[in-house]
Amino acid sequence: MTKINPALKQILTVNNLTKKFGSLTAVDKLSFSIEKGNVYGVLGPNGSGKSTTLGVVLNVVNKTSGNFFWFDGSTSTHNALKKVGAIIERPNFYPYMTAQQNLKLVCKIKEVSENKINEKLDLVGLLDRKDSAFRTYSLGMKQRLAIASALLNDPEILILDEPTNGLDPQGIHQIREIIKKIAHQGTTILLASHLLDEVEKVCSHVIILRKGKKLYSGRVDAMMKTHGFFELKTSQQNELLQVLKNNTSIGEVKTENGLTTAFLTEDLNADTFNKFLFENGIILSHLVKRKESLEEQFLDLTNKN
């Protein structure tokens, strides 16, 4: 793996960013950083401040207070944004023009060479439809063309706001696979989403927002790094609960419809646990070890805040 110069590692730094619309605080003292080579998800329900945050760092929404800077901070935002690709609105191309013609126009506006058009169309799976008019494209194809357009300047970071919104399952899958492919090629990605499934499948890092405030920022796998839980069934329900109560590896215990869920406070494999219960006279008819999902962690986090 290529070593990254630490001085060049930071792509975006946000410090105490606040944006108010009258009495409404859309973004509230938000701080986070984006590092090169990762896929970041800004996760939160509608109204959590995701799109506003992206709008501010892309210079289309004015901040109220706080600050942000791109790369090492020595480049103006205007010049830094030349190294950024972004889609924060619905794809907007000329309907009567072909995909290739539309991208040639984008190249003129961005003042970049046209020699990457076919490469980017191929990347998003539209090379065979490059001579088709934009109006003949499905919604998913339009979104993929927008991604190709955002990549024409070979940006260091690609920013996507709700990239799969409104798409059917096939379209969602195609966009997610393209995002993974772009990330694999070394482009840093920052995407806003309200879909936990999207972040869990695509992102390496997550920033969770609620009502403009940051609840969590860090690696997705670190957030999900709990010791998991056991699902248990036995005809000796009362005896089981007593044995679990006396085991220091077990924390919270829940029972519902005959299924007991025992949350772990430390690592414990199923074989060892089953043996322990057997030695204490408990015979199980069901034992499954599971990990908490991002959704469970997210709900726990938002309920606490």
Side-chain angles (χ1 to χ4, degrees):
M1 187 180 288
T2 305
K3 289 188 177 179
I4 298 169
N5 182 341
L8 302 175
K9 199 174 180 182
Q10 215 82 342
I11 297 275
L12 172 66
T13 304
V14 174
N15 293 315
N16 288 316
L17 190 68
T18 297
K19 175 60 184 177
K20 296 185 178 183
F21 296 98
S23 61
L24 173 69
T25 303
V27 180
D28 193 358
K29 297 176 183 173
L30 180 60
S31 297
F32 64 87
S33 61
I34 301 297
E35 293 188 347
K36 188 177 180 69
N38 296 308
V39 182
Y40 289 81
V42 183
L43 177 64
N46 293 331
S48 59
K50 305 184 301 294
S51 296
T52 303
T53 300
L54 298 187
V56 170
V57 300
L58 290 171
N59 252 14
V60 295
V61 175
N62 293 324
K63 66 184 183 182
T64 300
S65 62
N67 61 72
F68 67 91
F69 60 86
W70 289 97
F71 306 107
D72 60 1
S74 64
T75 310
S76 69
T77 300
H78 175 75
N79 286 328
L81 290 177
K82 292 178 181 177
K83 296 189 281 184
V84 176
I87 308 169
I88 57 171
E89 294 176 346
R90 278 274 175 225
N92 191 17
F93 296 98
Y94 287 103
Y96 57 87
M97 289 170 58
T98 67
Q100 189 173 45
Q101 289 169 336
N102 270 297
L103 292 191
K104 282 183 177 180
L105 185 58
V106 172
C107 287
K108 286 181 181 176
I109 294 168
K110 289 187 174 183
E111 298 180 342
V112 296
S113 169
E114 296 179 2
N115 63 6
K116 294 288 180 76
I117 288 177
N118 282 353
E119 176 191 318
K120 304 309 179 188
L121 284 172
D122 188 38
L123 176 64
V124 301
L126 290 175
L127 188 58
D128 61 335
R129 292 292 302 273
K130 69 177 183 178
D131 295 320
S132 299
F134 180 71
R135 67 172 176 265
T136 67
Y137 276 19
S138 66
L139 183 59
M141 292 169 70
K142 289 175 179 177
Q143 189 70 350
R144 284 188 276 145
L145 184 63
I147 292 174
S149 171
L151 293 171
L152 287 170
N153 59 332
D154 281 331
E156 291 197 35
I157 180 170
L158 176 64
I159 297 179
L160 306 168
D161 189 5
E162 302 280 3
T164 60
N165 217 12
L167 301 184
D168 60 22
Q170 183 184 9
I172 290 171
H173 176 73
Q174 288 171 333
I175 295 294
R176 288 179 182 174
E177 290 304 306
I178 289 167
I179 289 171
K180 290 177 186 176
K181 199 185 298 183
I182 294 166
H184 185 69
Q185 293 178 352
T187 304
T188 304
I189 295 174
L190 174 61
L191 68 90
S193 179
H194 65 279
L195 302 174
L196 288 149
D197 183 54
E198 189 148 83
V199 171
E200 193 166 357
K201 287 182 177 175
V202 174
C203 301
S204 58
H205 293 68
V206 63
I207 301 155
I208 296 179
L209 302 183
R210 182 169 176 265
K211 295 180 180 177
K213 290 181 180 288
K214 181 180 76 177
L215 301 185
Y216 174 84
S217 178
R219 292 191 61 87
V220 172
D221 55 12
M223 185 179 177
M224 297 169 65
K225 197 173 182 180
T226 62
H227 300 292
F229 58 91
F230 285 113
E231 289 181 349
L232 311 165
K233 281 186 181 180
T234 179
S235 59
Q236 304 160 279
Q237 189 68 36
N238 293 332
E239 293 90 336
L240 172 65
L241 294 176
Q242 189 58 47
V243 171
L244 294 177
K245 188 177 179 181
N246 296 329
N247 190 316
T248 56
S249 299
I250 303 297
E252 185 183 3
V253 176
K254 295 179 181 177
T255 301
E256 188 176 346
N257 298 325
L259 182 71
T260 298
T261 305
F263 292 87
L264 292 166
T265 58
E266 60 187 15
D267 283 331
L268 181 63
N269 69 52
D271 287 343
T272 303
F273 186 56
N274 194 24
K275 183 181 177 185
F276 162 77
L277 291 176
F278 181 76
E279 288 171 350
N280 281 272
I282 306 295
I283 307 297
L284 296 173
S285 59
H286 173 88
L287 185 156
V288 177
K289 186 177 182 182
R290 301 189 189 280
K291 281 278 191 182
E292 283 190 272
S293 67
L294 180 62
E295 180 176 13
E296 288 164 319
Q297 295 277 20
F298 175 78
L299 291 172
D300 185 50
L301 188 64
T302 51
N303 288 336
K304 285 177 182 175
N305 293 273

